[in-house]
């Protein structure tokens, strides 16, 4: 009789991993590898990075997954290298070259063109993207040689900085709103310069309040005998929101989903209304909306973490 092998049960892991995604790996593959190293039961990422891109990919585990939407909505910062003069069918190095042009531009011309792309702009989503139509991803249509009509969508380029130009490579720093495609931005800048372009490199350096200082690699995790120690706490995702500290009695009511009239309690509240993170001591209870008259309305509650 063959011996039966039982799978090791997955662990309940809560926290945030600031992964430095390597080039060539999809965001989902990176998540699967990190989840396996941590033996975590529940995990999710906070928006994808293209396989050719590197840099900050926040991965949420356990209770942190309840707040991943906040990072999907957050502004993001990238450093990118735009290769002027060559257009590819994907807008990056993974595609095939479909057109080439001479590159004869000056830094002054580049600066003038960059000014056109700062602030609110309209962007046509690329065919090689995960957006869907009729239940089918755009990239699936593209691989079949089908090009769909796409409506331009409003996005905001909060910052667009010139870093370096060594023809034909243009290095830029971009901070943008959700839904922005840096590949499309690079192509549009190339078209405005009359040379066409594709992205040669892309590295994400900021997602909402999270930066690259505490990033770890998959190799770091594999080499660490205690990889769980590399996780940031759940509330690392919520650092941009003010905190409200509750008493034990109020915390019980909050966790039962009750709205709290904090104006009647001796509880310090922020001056501005809006989303807050809520604590009992150093224990995160969840998020809430602070409303008029200091009413605290529970929003997303988490299991009480020990």
């Amino acid at each position: 009789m063959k011996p039966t092998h039982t799978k090791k049960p997955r662990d309940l892991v809560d926290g945030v991993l600031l992964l430095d995604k390597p080039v060539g790996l999809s965001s989902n593959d990176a998540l699967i590898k990190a989840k396996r190293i941590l033996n975590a039961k529940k995990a999710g990422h906070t928006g994808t990075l293209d396989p050719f891109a590197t840099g900050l990919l926040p991965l949420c585990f356990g209770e942190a997954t309840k707040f991943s939407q906040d990072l999907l909505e957050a502004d993001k910062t990238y450093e990118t290298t735009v290769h002027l003069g060559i257009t590819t069918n994907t807008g990056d190095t993974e595609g095939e070259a479909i057109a080439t042009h001479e590159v004869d531009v000056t830094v002054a011309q580049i600066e003038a063109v960059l000014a056109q792309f700062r602030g609110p702009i309209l962007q046509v989503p690329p065919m090689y993207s995960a957006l869907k139509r009729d239940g089918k991803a755009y990239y699936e249509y593209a691989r079949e040689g089908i090009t769909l009509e796409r409506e331009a969508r409003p996005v905001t380029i909060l910052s667009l900085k010139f870093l370096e130009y060594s023809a034909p490579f243009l290095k830029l720093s971009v901070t943008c709103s959700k839904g922005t495609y840096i590949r499309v931005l690079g192509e549009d800048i190339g078209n405005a310069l009359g040379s066409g372009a594709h992205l040669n490199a892309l590295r994400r350096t900021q997602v909402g309040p999270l930066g690259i200082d505490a990033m770890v690699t998959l190799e770091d995790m594999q080499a660490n005998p205690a990889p769980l120690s590399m996780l940031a706490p759940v509330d690392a995702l919520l650092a941009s929101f003010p905190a409200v500290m509750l008493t034990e009695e109020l915390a019980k009511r909050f966790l039962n989903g009750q709205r709290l009239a904090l104006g009647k309690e001796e509880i310090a509240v922020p001056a501005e209304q809006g989303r807050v993170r809520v604590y009992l001591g150093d224990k995160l209870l969840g998020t809430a909306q602070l409303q008029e008259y200091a009413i605290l309305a529970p929003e997303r509650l988490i299991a009480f973490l020990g």
Side-chain angles (χ1 to χ4, degrees), residues 24-217:
L25 204 61
S26 74
S27 297
N28 200 51
D29 286 343
L31 174 66
I32 291 169
K33 287 178 181 290
K35 187 178 177 183
R36 188 178 297 130
I37 293 169
L38 297 173
N39 196 45
K41 187 174 184 179
K42 184 179 181 183
H45 56 64
T46 56
T48 59
L49 272 176
D50 289 336
F52 92 101
T54 67
L56 182 58
L57 180 67
L59 302 178
C60 296
F61 294 87
E63 292 298 309
T65 60
K66 295 180 179 178
F67 306 99
S68 59
Q69 185 65 31
D70 294 309
L71 290 193
L72 286 171
E73 305 284 329
D75 299 333
K76 298 171 179 68
T77 299
Y78 301 85
E79 287 189 1
T80 187
T81 301
V82 181
H83 187 161
L84 300 177
I86 299 176
T87 304
T88 70
N89 60 346
T90 59
D92 57 34
T93 57
E94 295 193 305
E96 299 174 1
I98 54 176
T100 58
H101 302 273
E102 271 196 43
V103 179
D104 182 20
V105 297
T106 65
V107 170
Q109 288 171 320
I110 291 169
E111 291 279 21
V113 163
L114 294 183
Q116 301 170 23
F117 290 93
R118 296 185 180 110
I121 63 170
L122 291 174
Q123 213 181 54
V124 178
M127 277 304 301
Y128 280 89
S129 69
L131 294 176
K132 290 187 176 181
R133 183 173 299 179
D134 300 326
K136 187 174 174 179
Y138 280 13
Y139 65 79
E140 293 179 272
Y141 289 104
R143 286 171 182 168
E144 295 170 5
I146 299 169
T147 300
L148 303 175
E149 287 290 322
R150 286 103 65 208
E151 283 189 17
R153 306 189 307 177
V155 297
T156 302
I157 307 300
L158 300 159
S159 171
L160 180 56
K161 296 177 183 174
F162 170 88
L163 298 180
E164 183 184 332
Y165 178 55
S166 178
F169 299 108
L170 169 62
K171 291 187 178 180
L172 303 170
S173 172
V174 185
T175 301
C176 56
S177 66
K178 69 167 185 173
T180 304
Y181 287 92
I182 307 300
R183 281 180 290 144
V184 174
L185 180 64
E187 289 178 313
D188 289 346
I189 289 170
N191 290 337
L193 288 167
S195 65
H198 70 279
L199 290 198
N200 178 265
L202 180 65
R203 183 165 179 79
R204 188 157 67 188
T205 59
Q206 187 90 19
V207 179
L210 304 176
I212 61 174
D213 294 345
M215 278 198 309
V216 300
T217 65

Side-chain angles (χ1 to χ4, degrees), residues 2-30:
K2 289 183 179 179
T4 57
H5 296 282
T6 56
K7 275 190 176 181
K8 182 183 177 183
R10 296 280 185 175
D11 297 327
L12 292 173
V13 174
D14 299 300
V16 181
L17 183 73
L18 303 183
L19 184 69
D20 185 353
K21 190 192 84 64
V23 68
L25 204 61
S26 74
S27 297
N28 200 51
D29 286 343

Side-chain angles (χ1 to χ4, degrees), residues 203-257:
R203 183 165 179 79
R204 188 157 67 188
T205 59
Q206 187 90 19
V207 179
L210 304 176
I212 61 174
D213 294 345
M215 278 198 309
V216 300
T217 65
L218 290 169
E219 290 75 19
D220 292 335
M221 295 177 70
Q222 288 167 331
N224 193 322
L228 287 174
S229 66
M230 307 179 93
L231 290 175
V234 172
D235 58 359
L237 298 173
L238 307 171
S240 60
F241 303 123
V244 171
M245 315 299 291
L246 298 182
T247 63
E248 192 163 344
E249 178 56 36
L250 289 173
K252 287 178 184 175
R253 290 166 54 192
F254 178 80
L255 288 173
N256 283 329

